[in-house]
Amino acid sequence: MQGSRILLVIGGGIAAFKSLTLIRDLQREGCRVVPVLTRAAEEFVTPLSVAALAGEDVHRDLFDLTREAEMGHIQLSRDADLVVVAPATADLMAKMAGGHADDLASTLLMATDKRVLIAPAMNVRMWLHPATQRNLATLKQDGVLVVGPDEGDMACGEFGPGRAAEPQDIVAAIRGALGPARPAPLRLGPEVAAKPLKGRHVVVTSGPTREPIDPVRYISNHSSGAQGSAIAAALRDLGARVSFVTGPAQFAPPEGVEVIPVQTADEMQAAVEAALPADAAVMAAAVADWKVANAADRKMKKGRDGMPVLEFAENPDILAWVSQLAERRPQLVVGFAAETNDVIANATAKRQRKRCDWIVANDVSAGTGTFGGEDNTVTLISADGAESWPRMGKDAVARKLAERIAEAL
Ligand code: C5P
């Protein structure tokens, strides 16, 4: 985070006071915070206190001609590494979802080419209102990242979801969004400059899936999404149009790809289907094998109904499904296999069972350090046999795989 520049849009809600702590916390992490206040926010925090804390001018007015001459709102929105909206009120979310641009905050949210993270905060009824939930779904679909809201006692005296996330949780979300391990830019060789995948479309799945138990609990796994992100970036660098279907990963997705955020395996399958046709599909996601068949639509309460018993239903195998499509099967389908023993035999059997073209097999047994580590040792299994690659960084694996895909298409 050190050295990052955060454009902080403060919306008009009682939680605006938390943004003062957020400014301090971000500065402690070495960030520069450039604050923007909406008209309504000025009713809750004063421009003077925000400016004094941030040590920066506070931007307030779209039609501030002096500032417009010094720094236009377009520039303001692009100079940042990340745009954060905290608190994001129901009104600001509606404006963002509807594409309004009638004041400085909404205009720069429209004009920015950077990732946007929102921390919604509002009364519980406003949060649960179908209009807000619809706007939330639209914003997520647009790739906007969301932290909170929390559940608890609210300033208005009610209880429920809608309370602003705590500053430390917003800082953690910002850290994730800035992507500490965003795949390093690849060094481009002459073949890369030639963009051999120009005009090609590749679908990449990545990260874990989350299968809900009730509205606040889920089943997931430790996939970080690092390898999938690196593959998407490498394909992009070779000129491909990449549809990046990602579960909730620990790292920010690479820039320059179409990000389709999903939660569950069912959503992932629907997103892959919607992204087709494609020339190739690379399924690097760690999809949960099972979902909870009897997920509750209200939070399960301790003690009231005794110990809950979860029933499971099998999730679709997205790799097997895409490999067996009759008409819209991509020309090349690549799967992954994380094995702990008999890596080549197991992965070869998996390739045949799922009917994909290639399997990238890796040994994740204890001591290899592959899970969550920087490096990977893989074997590429195709109809022609198994080819073991030397141990290398996940970025290098991604680059080599992307080059192989370019050769095959
Ligand atoms: O069967 P297994 O989970 O080991 O297979 C791993 C491969 O299958 C990966 O490429 C993974 O993305 C894919 N997969 C999938 N849908 C599932 C399970 C796995 O696409 N439900």
Side-chain angles (χ1 to χ4, degrees):
M1 291 181 92
Q2 179 76 34
S4 298
R5 188 181 153 119
I6 311 289
L7 187 66
L8 176 64
V9 177
I10 304 178
I14 189 73
F17 78 92
K18 287 191 182 175
S19 297
L20 300 179
T21 315
L22 180 63
I23 292 172
R24 266 282 147 81
D25 290 353
L26 285 169
Q27 286 174 332
R28 255 184 228 123
E29 299 276 343
C31 297
R32 180 175 164 203
V33 183
V34 178
V36 175
L37 282 182
T38 65
R39 270 289 316 122
E42 293 184 22
E43 303 292 334
F44 295 92
V45 288
T46 69
L48 197 60
S49 53
V50 174
L53 263 175
E56 294 275 343
D57 280 349
V58 176
H59 301 269
R60 303 153 65 187
D61 192 354
L62 182 58
F63 300 108
D64 182 340
L65 292 181
T66 325
R67 198 172 310 293
E68 197 65 16
E70 287 164 8
M71 175 194 270
H73 57 273
I74 307 267
Q75 174 99 32
L76 188 60
S77 71
R78 305 231 171 128
D79 276 354
D81 295 304
L82 182 73
V83 182
V84 177
V85 187
T89 59
D91 182 59
L92 255 177
M93 287 175 64
K95 278 186 169 170
M96 289 173 74
H100 292 254
D102 62 353
D103 61 4
L104 181 60
S106 53
T107 303
L108 46 88
L109 283 160
M110 282 286 281
T112 190
D113 58 354
K114 295 299 174 346
R115 293 182 71 73
V116 177
L117 171 77
I118 63 170
M122 65 198 72
N123 165 271
V124 55
R125 292 272 156 235
M126 292 173 79
W127 173 251
L128 295 174
H129 195 286
T132 304
Q133 292 301 311
R134 215 167 35 240
N135 292 333
L136 177 70
T138 304
L139 292 172
K140 284 186 176 170
Q141 193 69 38
D142 293 346
V144 170
L145 303 168
V146 184
V147 52
D150 290 348
E151 187 173 296
D153 289 321
M154 307 191 61
C156 53
E158 292 185 42
F159 179 90
R163 211 168 68 154
E166 293 303 324
Q168 75 266 19
D169 294 331
I170 302 178
V171 171
I174 290 171
R175 189 178 294 116
L178 287 169
R182 180 178 294 170
L186 301 172
R187 249 167 275 116
L188 306 182
E191 75 286 11
V192 174
K195 306 272 182 217
L197 286 173
K198 195 161 172 36
R200 301 296 196 158
H201 177 212
V202 186
V203 180
V204 178
T205 68
S206 181
T209 64
R210 271 185 193 171
E211 309 297 334
I213 296 171
D214 68 12
V216 298
R217 304 182 178 94
Y218 57 82
I219 291 174
S220 191
N221 58 64
H222 288 299
S223 168
S224 66
Q227 186 66 81
S229 283
I231 289 167
L235 290 162
R236 171 206 63 196
D237 286 341
L238 293 185
R241 175 166 79 84
V242 179
S243 296
F244 185 64
V245 181
T246 176
Q250 289 167 23
F251 305 128
E255 288 177 5
V257 303
E258 190 199 350
V259 181
I260 306 151
V262 297
Q263 298 278 327
T264 65
D266 286 323
E267 286 173 15
M268 185 170 274
Q269 184 182 31
V272 170
E273 185 163 27
L276 295 177
D279 297 291
V282 182
M283 307 276 114
V287 185
D289 289 322
W290 296 284
K291 62 186 156 202
V292 179
N294 58 342
D297 52 14
R298 300 169 134 229
K299 185 179 173 190
M300 292 177 176
K301 293 283 183 209
K302 196 162 50 178
R304 199 169 59 195
D305 308 318
M307 195 81 86
V309 177
L310 300 183
E311 289 163 18
F312 291 92
E314 207 164 312
N315 265 331
D317 188 318
I318 304 167
L319 174 62
W321 163 79
V322 85
S323 299
Q324 288 165 53
L325 284 175
E327 279 163 20
R328 307 223 293 168
R329 185 192 195 278
Q331 187 185 328
L332 181 70
V333 180
V334 183
F336 279 73
E339 304 287 348
T340 54
N341 57 291
D342 301 318
V343 177
I344 293 179
N346 285 338
T348 303
K350 189 167 289 180
R351 192 188 82 82
Q352 283 159 356
R353 197 168 61 245
K354 301 207 184 199
R355 309 224 186 134
C356 55
D357 301 296
W358 299 349
I359 284 269
V360 180
N362 50 3
D363 185 349
V364 294
S365 53
T368 59
T370 300
F371 258 142
E374 303 264 301
D375 293 340
N376 207 348
T377 315
V378 310
T379 303
L380 181 66
I381 291 165
S382 67
D384 300 331
E387 179 189 308
S388 292
W389 295 355
R391 186 161 187 79
M392 56 178 99
K394 287 183 179 173
D395 281 347
V397 169
R399 183 176 173 185
K400 197 167 158 97
L401 183 64
E403 283 167 2
R404 284 303 179 83
I405 292 171
E407 283 165 21
L409 288 180

